[in-house]
Structure formats: structure tokens, C-alpha cells
Amino acid sequence: MQTTKELPACPVETTLLLIGDKWKVLILRDLMPGTKRFGELKKSIGSVSQKVLTAQLRDMEESGLLTRTVYAEVPPRVEYRLTDLGRSLEPILDAMRNWGEAYKAQSG
């Protein structure tokens, strides 16, 4: 997790630093209902590469937005789940969805 000294002074910029990437927002969207495995995330997000998805998940884990659990099975099973901090972003995602729906209705 980044220290306060490393974070931008502007709270909006801080939020964008943590979730400003389009893949991160889609990962948040897909994990809001509950735990998912890597393959489930890859399939639901679609066009993201495995390398990029892995990097985004690691970054979000370091930021404290999600947890990664590895089960000692063959083949290994890895599950991702939002932390309470990650879940606290739900109102932001809801607002983005509502705005997107209104925009599509207006321009359609």
C-alpha cells in the first residue's frame, strides 16, 4: 500500500491513481458480487491480456483493494475478493453506471 507521502495532494487524483485504469474499474465491477477466479475475470472482462490482468490484480492487491487467495491444489486455484476498502468503491461504480446509462439514453 502506498504511504500518504507518495499520494497526490488532490483526493480526486488519488482515486484516479488507484482505479483510473479501465481494467481496474472492470475488475471492481466484476468482483462486487463476490469472489472470482482468474479465469472467470479474464472471461468476463474479455479483451484484456493475461499479462495485463495479472499486473492490474497485483497492483490492486498492493493498494489494499482486493485479496488474492491461493489454494494448495493441483492445479492451483487462485481466488480474488474485494476487501472492505475495495467494496467502499461501490457507490462510485454505481454512479458511473447510472451516468453511462443516462448518456446512452440521451445520445441514442
Side-chain angles (χ1 to χ4, degrees), residues 95-108:
M96 291 172 71
R97 183 184 63 245
N98 293 339
W99 189 91
E101 287 172 353
Y103 180 81
K104 286 170 73 173
Q106 176 191 30
S107 59

Side-chain angles (χ1 to χ4, degrees), residues 3-108:
T3 64
T4 307
K5 292 179 184 177
E6 297 171 351
L7 294 173
C10 173
V12 173
E13 192 176 345
T14 297
T15 305
L16 286 174
L17 178 71
L18 294 173
I19 66 164
D21 184 282
K22 96 173 183 183
W23 303 121
K24 289 179 182 174
V25 174
L26 296 178
I27 291 166
L28 287 168
R29 174 201 67 189
D30 288 353
L31 288 178
M32 279 299 164
T35 303
K36 285 207 175 12
R37 293 172 72 170
F38 183 89
E40 293 173 311
L41 287 169
K42 174 89 175 75
K43 186 175 180 181
S44 65
I45 293 172
S47 60
V48 65
S49 72
Q50 185 167 331
K51 180 181 177 181
V52 169
L53 180 56
T54 299
Q56 297 298 300
L57 289 166
R58 283 187 182 147
D59 194 42
M60 292 173 74
E61 183 180 12
E62 286 176 21
S63 299
L65 299 176
L66 60 82
T67 58
R68 175 180 183 264
T69 306
V70 181
Y71 295 91
E73 300 174 355
V74 178
R77 178 171 49 112
V78 180
E79 293 182 343
Y80 296 90
R81 177 176 51 261
L82 291 178
T83 60
D84 289 342
L85 181 65
R87 289 208 156 283
S88 71
L89 291 162
E90 189 167 17
I92 295 171
L93 265 62
D94 288 345
M96 291 172 71
R97 183 184 63 245
N98 293 339
W99 189 91
E101 287 172 353
Y103 180 81
K104 286 170 73 173
Q106 176 191 30
S107 59

